[in-house]
Structure formats: C-alpha cells, structure tokens
Amino acid sequence: MDISPGITECEEHNILSSYLADPDKTDATLERLTTCATSSLSKGELETQLRRLWNSFLYLSSQQPHSSKQQDSLVKLLQVLTTNSSTLKDTNGRGVEVDGSKVWRGLPLFGQQARECWNFPSDKEVDTKTRDVWINVNAFVARLTAAAINEHGGERQGYSPLDYSLYGIWSLRSALEEKRENLPGKTTVDASVGAVAVWIVYAGPTLRGLSESNKTYSGKVAKPGSKFKDQEWRGYTKDRWQSWKEELAQAKSLVQDDGIQNLVQQALEIIKQ
C-alpha cells in the first residue's frame, strides 16, 4: 500500500482534518478547497494539488475505524463535490477540466490515486497497523460505491465518479478466489478476509445488485482468481456471488482476531439474505 503519512503536512490534509472536527461546516470546507485549487491553478500546479487532496482523503479514511462517523463524513463531502459544488473556473470564466473531467464534479485523478494505494502486500506477513489500514480504506471505498450504485445495480445520477465496484472484485478475488494457504501469516489472512467483510457490510446490497444485473468490465480486469480459472467471469455474476458466499464461510475459520471474526460474521449474515 502507498498512502504516505507525509501527506499530513499539506494544506489539503489540514482542511479535511478541520472538516472532520466539525462536519457541519461543509460550505466553509468547500470554500477553502476552492480557494486552494484556484491558487494552485494560477501557479500551474492544479494537478499536483488535486493529487494531494485525494491522497489526504484516502489517508484520513485509512486512519479512521471503518465504522466511524468520520468515514461517513468523508463520503458525504465527496458526494457534495460531485453534485452540489460549483465548477472551478479559470480567469476567463471557463470551467476547468483535468484529465477530461470537470473540477469538482468529475473528481479528476481520484481514481488514479486510489489505484496507487490498492496494492496490498499479500506476499508477506503484515503488522496489525497495515492490516487495519487496509480494512479501513476498503470500507471507505465500499461506502463510496454504495453511494454511487443502488441496490438494483444501477448508478445513481451524479454519483458515477464514486463507483469503485471493480475494486470490490479485486479485494474479494484476492481473498476468496486464490489459495489462502499461500498467504504468509495470520495477520495477512485477517487483513484480506477483513477487507472482504467490510465490502459486504458497507456495500452488500450494492454488490448483490451488480451480481444480479451481471455487471461486466472490459478486458480481463475482473477475471477470476486461480481457484476458479475455468470460469468466464469478467465482472459480477450470480454464480460468482454464490461462490463468494461459500468461500467467505470457509475463510471465517482462518481469522484469528476476535474483532475481525465478528466483522466476518456480520458479513455472512448480510450475504446470506
């Protein structure tokens, strides 16, 4: 994973930290973010500034317990940015775009920054801090996806920049479709299975809806793991959802941490509905 703690020294992190301390001040936070972006735009540094901002979102979400109100607040702020915030304008009054998306509504570069931190080191034993960071950031992205997609698998108007359902497949595939005996230690197992659990707890109906509507992705980005290599899965399917249900029930017995055990039990109750 690559969410640098050095991000805590930047202005964007300070703005978001102030917002989490008083989440009712959404308008004031949007004003501060826009002022920061406008200043960066005038210096030709907008892309760098946006990357710092999105990294601050990801870092802060990774440091908050997955069930916390702070995670809710960060999700709500991104929702406001995609739907209610004014488009950033240049000195000629034209709307500003970065990488083909409007600032703020398209959340340009957010996906790139999320992808950069989506590299869990499953080939080595991790410490409990890395385990918790991985579970927390999965919960945050699952919450975003649930905000973007309804329980029938359709995108909510205006929330498409928050759809990270593909990341859900990556986490579920890693933990449930590969041979778990190849994982190096108990904390890595807890992290991998815990990440699955938060996807189900915070976006279970969403993922079920995608499975029922056979949501697919281009190429092989959503291909099955090695245990299911004979399947033709390229996204969410009813069969894949059923396999996850069965695999998660088996994986529970491998989890060592009591808190993650309880989290997996919550997920099992949801996935069986």
Side-chain angles (χ1 to χ4, degrees), residues 5 59 62-63 126-136 187:
Y59 177 77
S62 76
Q63 303 302 303
V126 300
D127 55 26
T128 55
K129 181 178 180 181
T130 301
R131 176 200 68 192
D132 293 343
V133 163
W134 180 237
I135 291 173
N136 292 341
T187 308

Side-chain angles (χ1 to χ4, degrees), residues 125-128 131-132 135 180-181 183-195 197 248-265:
E125 176 67 327
V126 300
D127 55 26
T128 55
R131 176 200 68 192
D132 293 343
I135 291 173
R180 283 183 291 276
E181 56 266 30
L183 291 173
K186 64 181 183 180
T187 308
T188 301
V189 172
D190 284 4
S192 297
V193 179
L248 183 58
Q250 295 176 27
K252 182 186 176 185
S253 64
L254 302 177
V255 174
Q256 303 293 310
D257 181 83
D258 289 342
I260 299 176
Q261 274 270 4
N262 293 334
L263 187 61
V264 173
Q265 182 58 41

Side-chain angles (χ1 to χ4, degrees), residues 14-266:
N14 293 337
I15 292 173
L16 295 183
S17 296
S18 296
Y19 164 73
L20 289 180
D22 191 356
D24 290 332
K25 293 186 176 180
T26 304
D27 290 342
T29 301
L30 292 176
E31 184 176 346
R32 290 184 68 187
L33 289 176
T34 298
T35 298
C36 191
T38 301
S39 175
S40 296
L41 177 63
S42 68
K43 300 174 184 176
E45 299 173 352
L46 180 58
E47 181 174 325
T48 300
Q49 187 269 331
L50 288 174
R51 292 188 187 278
R52 286 198 304 265
L53 176 60
W54 304 143
N55 271 335
S56 296
F57 267 99
L58 292 163
Y59 177 77
L60 282 166
S61 70
S62 76
Q63 303 302 303
Q64 312 300 322
H66 59 82
S67 59
S68 66
K69 292 182 178 179
Q70 287 88 347
Q71 282 222 2
D72 279 334
S73 296
L74 290 170
V75 170
K76 289 175 182 176
L77 184 58
L78 281 174
Q79 286 178 288
V80 171
L81 284 172
T82 62
T83 56
N84 299 329
S85 61
S86 299
T87 300
L88 186 71
K89 291 182 170 57
D90 61 20
T91 54
N92 295 316
R94 293 186 298 241
V96 176
E97 292 189 1
V98 172
D99 200 32
S101 297
K102 290 183 178 179
V103 182
W104 297 100
R105 291 180 183 270
L107 305 183
L109 306 179
F110 183 87
Q112 290 184 25
Q113 294 310 118
R115 181 66 185 90
E116 286 190 11
C117 76
W118 218 259
N119 296 299
F120 180 71
S122 58
D123 59 342
K124 63 182 180 181
E125 176 67 327
V126 300
D127 55 26
T128 55
K129 181 178 180 181
T130 301
R131 176 200 68 192
D132 293 343
V133 163
W134 180 237
I135 291 173
N136 292 341
V137 78
N138 270 271
F140 177 61
V141 176
R143 287 171 181 269
L144 293 179
T145 302
I149 302 173
N150 62 37
E151 61 184 8
H152 304 295
E155 288 189 342
R156 304 179 194 273
Q157 187 174 2
Y159 284 178
S160 58
L162 304 181
D163 177 4
Y164 288 90
S165 52
L166 177 59
Y167 289 53
I169 284 186
W170 290 343
S171 289
L172 272 71
R173 179 176 65 196
S174 176
L176 304 181
E177 295 179 9
E178 303 291 351
K179 295 179 180 180
R180 283 183 291 276
E181 56 266 30
N182 292 338
L183 291 173
K186 64 181 183 180
T187 308
T188 301
V189 172
D190 284 4
S192 297
V193 179
V196 169
V198 291
W199 270 98
I200 303 301
V201 168
Y202 297 110
T206 295
L207 303 191
R208 183 187 297 112
L210 290 171
S211 301
E212 292 174 350
S213 63
N214 293 307
K215 167 74 172 180
T216 60
Y217 303 86
S218 60
K220 296 184 178 181
V221 293
K223 67 181 181 180
S226 60
K227 289 173 65 175
F228 298 89
K229 60 183 179 181
D230 294 333
Q231 297 290 337
E232 296 296 327
W233 298 332
R234 292 296 180 266
Y236 288 88
T237 72
K238 293 179 181 179
D239 288 346
R240 198 171 199 175
W241 179 257
Q242 180 62 32
S243 75
W244 289 337
K245 183 188 303 185
E246 295 168 359
E247 292 290 330
L248 183 58
Q250 295 176 27
K252 182 186 176 185
S253 64
L254 302 177
V255 174
Q256 303 293 310
D257 181 83
D258 289 342
I260 299 176
Q261 274 270 4
N262 293 334
L263 187 61
V264 173
Q265 182 58 41
Q266 282 182 259

